[in-house]
Amino acid sequence: MPGKVDLMRDKSSSWLNGPMLPAQNEDPSSPNRWPGEKIGLTQSGEGSLATMMRRIGGLFIDWVIAALIALIITSFTHALGGQATVQLLVWAVISVVSVFFFARTPGQALLGIGVACVDTPGKRVGFLRCLARTVLTIFILPPILTDADGRGPPRPRHRDRRYPRLGSAVGTACVVLWGGS
C-alpha cells in the first residue's frame, strides 16, 4: 500500500492536524472591531462586554457592602481578625455565593452587568469558576492583565494555535444585562 502512504504525505493537511475550528486561519493578533468580538459577544447592548468602568463600579459597590458588614461583625468580635481581614473575607463570600447563585454580585446587579460563561454559552457559572474569579480578583490579576477583549489572564492552553482566545483564566466575562454598554 505504498500508494496510499504517498497520497497522505502529499496532502497539505491530514487527520493528524485535528479538526478545523472557526477562525483558525485568522490572524490572532489582528485587532478586534469591538471588545468581545472574538469570543462571540455582541457589539453593544445586552450580551456585550461590560466596560471596565462598570466592572470597577460594581466592585466598588460590593466592597462598600462588605465594609459595612465587616464593621458590624468587628464591633462584636475580633475573632476573625481586624476590619480589613473581615472585609476581605466578607467580600469573597459575597462574590462567590452571589455569582454562583445569581450570576452577578450585588454591585454588578445595580449596574446592570453579570457574569456569563463564554467558553460554553448557556452554561451556569460553576462554584469552582466563581472561586477562581474571586481569588484572581483578590490578587488584582484581571484588572492588570487584560487582553484585547478587556478580560483577565488567558488560559495556558490558549498559547496553542488550535484554541484561539476563547476565554479568560476561568472562561467567564462580565456582560451587559441591561442599560447599554
Side-chain angles (χ1 to χ4, degrees):
M1 294 261 171
K4 286 190 177 185
V5 173
D6 292 335
L7 178 65
M8 196 61 139
R9 193 177 306 143
D10 291 338
K11 287 188 175 183
S12 61
S13 66
S14 74
W15 61 273
L16 294 174
N17 290 340
M20 293 294 289
L21 297 174
Q24 180 177 4
N25 296 322
E26 290 181 11
D27 183 13
S29 62
S30 67
N32 293 350
R33 291 180 295 186
W34 65 84
E37 174 191 20
K38 291 186 180 180
I39 54 175
L41 300 179
T42 61
Q43 185 172 0
S44 62
E46 292 181 12
S48 65
L49 192 69
T51 62
M52 188 64 80
M53 287 306 296
R54 282 179 98 167
R55 292 165 51 192
I56 291 172
L59 181 64
F60 178 75
I61 292 169
D62 294 335
W63 198 250
V64 169
I65 292 169
L68 294 173
I69 294 170
L71 183 64
I72 294 169
I73 291 172
T74 55
S75 67
F76 293 108
T77 182
H78 289 285
L80 299 172
Q83 169 75 22
T85 304
V86 174
Q87 183 173 345
L88 182 64
L89 292 172
V90 168
W91 173 82
V93 168
I94 288 172
S95 295
V96 171
V97 170
S98 62
V99 170
F100 178 69
F101 285 113
F102 307 111
R104 65 189 63 100
T105 65
Q108 289 173 342
L110 287 173
L111 296 179
I113 60 176
V115 180
C117 290
V118 292
D119 58 352
T120 51
K123 182 179 176 187
R124 287 185 53 124
V125 181
F127 180 76
L128 292 178
R129 288 182 188 222
C130 297
L131 188 62
R133 281 179 58 86
T134 302
V135 169
L136 288 173
T137 305
I138 286 172
F139 292 110
I140 315 176
L141 291 179
I144 292 173
L145 304 171
T146 57
D147 61 7
D149 291 314
R151 299 173 58 240
R155 295 181 195 178
R157 74 175 188 168
H158 289 263
R159 292 188 188 110
D160 190 303
R161 66 175 177 81
R162 293 176 293 171
Y163 299 101
R165 299 189 105 147
L166 293 176
S168 65
V170 293
T172 60
C174 283
V175 295
V176 175
L177 300 176
W178 54 265
S181 56

